Amino acid sequence: AQSVAQPEDQVNVAEGNPLTVKCTYSVSGNPYLFWYVQYPNRGLQFLLKYITGDNLVKGSYGFEAEFNKSQTSFHLKKPSALVSDSALYFCAVRAPESSASKIIFGSGTRLSIRP
Amino acid sequence: NAGVMQNPRHLVRRRGQEARLRCSPMKGHSHVYWYRQLPEEGLKFMVYLQKENIIDESGMPKERFSAEFPKEGPSILRIQQVVRGDSAAYFCASSPQGAAGANVLTFGAGSRLTVL
C-alpha cells in the first residue's frame, strides 16, 4: 500500500532564510510525487511534481524539490523564504503502475515565515 | 475555463439530515476525486470516480456515504443521517483522461459541512 509521511506539523523560518519541508513516501515501483499548497479557506494549488528525469524539480513561486530514491524522500525547498509563503503544504504520492491508482496526501506541514 | 466548481460552499445540517455536495469538474476532465479535511488535519482520500464508474472507494465509510458521477451533470457526494463527526471540509478535485498517473489534480474551493 502506498503512503506518504510529513514528519513535521509546523516549520518556522525567518524571512530571507532557506526553508525545507520534509516528505517521505512508500510505494511499490517508481512513484509520481507532488507538492501542493493550501491557503486559508481555499482549495489546494499545485506547486510541482516529479515523474521521471532530473532529481531536482523546479516549480511555482521559486520552490523546488529533490527526489531521493535511496532515502524515499521528496523534500520541498526554497533558497529564500517570503512571508507570503506562509501556508499549509501537502506532499502527495501516486503509484504509476495503474492509471486507476489513487493519489494519497500527507498530513500537511504548516509553514510560518516570520518577518 | 471556470475550474472545478463546488457547491454549496457552506452547508449546515442538523443531526439525522442528509447532505448533498456537488462538484463540476474542469471542462474536459473525466476523473473526479473526493477528499475530506477535518479541522487541523490533512486530506483523507474518500473516492475516485470516472463517468458512470466508481474506480476506488476504499476511503469511503461503509455506511451513510455514497458518491456518483453520472454521464450528465456533476459528481455528487451524499451523506445520509449526518452526525457531528461528519463536520469537515470536503474537497473535490479533477484531472483529465489519459496518462492519469502523471496528471495534476485541480481542486475546487471546498464545501464546508457543519452538523449541529
Side-chain angles (χ1 to χ4, degrees), chain A residues 37-49:
Chain A
V37 59
Q38 184 182 30
Y39 297 100
N41 299 314
R42 303 282 297 275
L44 277 67
Q45 298 176 30
F46 169 75
L47 275 181
L48 50 80
K49 67 180 179 181

Side-chain angles (χ1 to χ4, degrees), chain B residues 47-88:
Chain B
V47 62
Y48 168 27
L49 311 106
Q50 295 178 15
K51 287 280 188 182
E52 299 183 284
N53 194 15
I54 296 175
I55 304 301
D56 185 334
E57 56 181 348
S58 59
M60 290 278 272
K62 298 298 182 203
E63 299 177 344
R64 303 189 296 109
F65 284 72
S66 62
E68 64 176 5
F69 188 17
K71 185 177 180 180
E72 301 291 338
S75 175
I76 305 287
L77 179 66
R78 182 184 179 201
I79 311 172
Q80 296 178 287
Q81 299 175 324
V82 296
V83 301
R84 288 204 175 127
D86 297 333
S87 296

Side-chain angles (χ1 to χ4, degrees), chain A residues 32 34 36 38 41-46 49 51 88 90 94 96 99-108 110, chain B residues 9 31 33 35 37 40-43 45 48 55-56 58 91 100-110 112:
Chain A
Y32 292 160
F34 307 82
Y36 285 79
Q38 184 182 30
N41 299 314
R42 303 282 297 275
L44 277 67
Q45 298 176 30
F46 169 75
K49 67 180 179 181
I51 304 301
L88 189 57
F90 290 96
R94 186 177 205 168
S99 62
S101 62
K102 58 184 178 279
I103 297 174
I104 298 296
F105 285 81
S107 56
R110 190 166 299 280
Chain B
R9 291 292 310 277
H31 297 221
Y33 302 77
Y35 291 86
Q37 186 177 35
E40 303 304 318
E41 292 190 15
L43 284 174
F45 168 79
Y48 168 27
I55 304 301
D56 185 334
S58 59
F91 288 95
N103 283 324
V104 170
L105 296 181
T106 301
F107 279 82
R112 280 160 181 79

